[in-house]
Amino acid sequence: MKNLLADCRIEKTESYDAPFLNKVDIYQDGTVPFCRDKNGKLWGISGHSHCGHIGMFCGNDLRDMKEVYPIHTDFSVGAAGVAFAGIRYPEGIQARGSIWPFGLYICPGTGRFFAFFHNESGWNGQGTAYDSLGLCQQPKMDTDFRHVGLMHSDDEGRNWIFDRWVLSGENVCFTEKYNPDGINVIGQKEGVIRLGSGDFSLYIPADGEYIYMFYNIIKVNMYTWLWEACDTYVARTRKRADGIMGDFVKYYEGSFCEAGNFGKETAISQNTWHSRVAYSEKIGCYLMSSAPMRPNSQSQIIADYMELRTSEDMLHWSEPISLSVDGQRFGNHYNAVISVDGTGDPYRIIGKEFTTMTCHNGTDVLATNWKIDG
């Protein structure tokens, strides 16, 4: 499928620091989510729970956003049995580790904030972290297991209550090599394993019926210890205006039909790391930003530059293009495309200009503006 940006000239106009910076104790590790409230204020949540802090940011747009307060949760993170108010993963394993907020939605009817967060079993488990082989201080080749959790706030993001786990892989979150809690569940067989559903972003069209979650599943070969794939999948939930968040339904073989927890899923884009979607009115299509994953690579599994794909239905995506600045491919480990400076609907690009936000693991977030000609 032809990339609808292929015949366009896309030029950088300027770069500036986004407000999500180490100097304010924010160590962003993924793409920053945004949502506007009913009064038109732009909100964002940035940071993660085991380095620096997580902060709520607010403003008119990306240029004037500032942190308004650090968040507090009614649950702890860290050790199994204590973390997440004792609410287990859907598999029945005790939840553990940190939170990385990658999705934000504000209920239009109640003003309730919902945050969706990434979680991994192999980090910040305070002695209970585990990967595909067993207990670990750091997961071997990142073979720990992912879930997506949901929390909500009724005071504009100051205090958060943990709700539930909304997304998990079809395959369970451990292998036959190690059953963390010794439960009566069969783990994945040694070989090519799937590391659960996570590493995600949201796409929330203001005039649409659904909230879409684009997420990764990593496949690793336990014999070679190489990543064989890291594809993008999509699930959705219907928007509500009563303060309730519904369940997600995964896309599988042509329709949204499988459960968010344990359902089957069909990849919509191959080897695309941390995909994020926006809509371009000028081009008349959806844009997906991501970093390329190199299957079976023994070094730099994720290439730290941005690729852009186009689609007319969010399900079938073109081949990628990349952007260049001073002869070098532009981008980083995490790449997000939003409206220029986050004005208006941050998920909708109006006119010729747009903004990218890029960062690496725990680094400052850089905003760069671009102009499309052609």
Side-chain angles (χ1 to χ4, degrees):
M1 184 189 306
K2 181 179 178 179
N3 192 310
L4 298 179
L5 292 171
D7 296 329
C8 298
R9 186 172 72 253
I10 305 175
E11 295 184 341
K12 171 188 169 184
T13 57
E14 63 173 322
S15 291
Y16 58 95
D17 284 339
F20 319 111
L21 303 172
N22 293 175
K23 69 181 182 182
V24 295
D25 197 41
I26 295 293
Y27 295 83
Q28 182 61 27
D29 193 8
T31 66
V32 178
F34 298 112
C35 192
R36 286 196 183 272
D37 65 20
K38 63 182 179 181
N39 298 316
K41 287 293 186 181
L42 183 66
W43 292 85
I45 184 169
S46 183
H48 59 102
S49 62
H50 70 270
C51 184
H53 72 279
I54 300 170
M56 290 302 303
F57 291 75
C58 188
N60 295 307
D61 54 43
L62 192 60
R63 288 187 184 268
D64 74 356
M65 287 187 88
K66 293 181 174 61
E67 183 176 2
V68 287
Y69 30 74
I71 76 162
H72 298 280
T73 63
D74 78 333
F75 58 93
S76 64
V77 296
V82 177
F84 301 102
I87 298 174
R88 295 171 179 250
Y89 296 136
E91 292 90 338
I93 297 294
Q94 294 181 98
R96 63 205 74 196
S98 291
I99 63 174
W100 289 260
F102 291 158
L104 181 65
Y105 178 69
I106 303 172
C107 175
T110 66
R112 173 172 281 184
F113 283 34
F114 291 96
F116 299 86
F117 60 84
H118 172 83
N119 167 262
E120 296 184 25
S121 66
W123 295 98
N124 191 35
Q126 298 175 359
T128 66
Y130 73 92
D131 61 12
S132 61
L133 296 176
L135 293 174
C136 66
Q137 293 295 321
Q138 180 174 326
K140 182 178 178 67
M141 293 305 296
D142 276 325
T143 58
D144 57 340
F145 297 88
R146 283 91 170 139
H147 296 86
V148 177
L150 171 67
M151 59 186 183
H152 77 268
S153 169
D154 287 322
D155 56 6
E156 296 185 322
R158 292 176 179 86
N159 297 285
W160 294 86
I161 297 170
F162 179 61
D163 292 320
R164 66 190 190 274
W165 302 101
V166 297
L167 201 71
S168 58
E170 179 189 2
N171 305 90
V172 300
C173 63
F174 59 94
T175 71
E176 61 183 357
K177 288 287 187 180
Y178 181 68
N179 184 327
D181 296 342
I183 63 174
N184 188 24
V185 173
I186 299 171
Q188 295 187 50
K189 290 188 177 298
E190 183 179 18
V192 178
I193 58 171
R194 296 182 174 210
L195 303 181
S197 300
D199 301 295
F200 70 94
S201 67
L202 295 188
Y203 170 63
I204 311 175
D207 56 353
E209 185 179 359
Y210 295 98
I211 298 168
Y212 294 88
M213 183 179 293
F214 292 86
Y215 62 97
N216 282 144
I217 295 178
I218 301 165
K219 300 175 187 176
V220 177
N221 189 317
M222 292 178 67
Y223 298 123
T224 64
W225 294 108
L226 297 176
W227 285 28
E228 293 196 351
C230 177
D231 299 334
T232 295
Y233 302 76
V234 63
R236 73 183 187 188
T237 186
R238 181 171 52 87
K239 291 180 182 177
R240 299 174 62 110
D242 59 357
I244 295 297
M245 182 60 63
D247 290 335
F248 277 82
V249 178
K250 294 176 178 176
Y251 177 76
Y252 176 65
E253 292 191 346
S255 66
F256 288 91
C257 61
E258 286 282 324
N261 286 315
F262 307 132
K264 294 182 179 181
E265 46 233 323
T266 297
I268 59 169
S269 186
Q270 282 69 47
N271 297 317
T272 40
W273 170 249
H274 265 259
S275 299
R276 179 138 166 182
V277 170
Y279 184 81
S280 169
E281 287 190 354
K282 175 178 170 54
I283 308 300
C285 67
Y286 300 95
L287 306 181
M288 176 190 286
S289 55
S290 61
M293 176 265 172
R294 296 167 168 167
N296 299 306
S297 176
Q298 295 185 349
S299 63
Q300 199 179 19
I301 299 168
I302 307 298
D304 292 337
Y305 64 88
M306 183 178 72
E307 291 186 330
L308 293 174
R309 289 170 168 79
T310 61
S311 171
E312 296 180 354
D313 62 4
M314 283 194 292
L315 300 173
H316 303 86
W317 292 90
S318 72
E319 290 301 308
I321 66 165
S322 59
L323 305 181
S324 295
V325 175
D326 298 328
Q328 301 293 319
R329 281 175 165 160
F330 171 84
N332 211 323
H333 202 66
Y334 303 110
N335 305 278
V337 171
I338 63 170
S339 63
V340 63
D341 296 335
T343 54
D345 177 357
Y347 295 99
R348 195 170 190 89
I349 298 166
I350 299 173
K352 296 182 177 182
E353 295 179 291
F354 66 92
T355 297
T356 57
M357 296 190 305
T358 56
C359 68
H360 211 287
N361 300 122
T363 66
D364 292 345
V365 178
L366 178 70
T368 301
N369 287 352
W370 304 83
K371 186 175 181 180
I372 304 173
D373 288 321

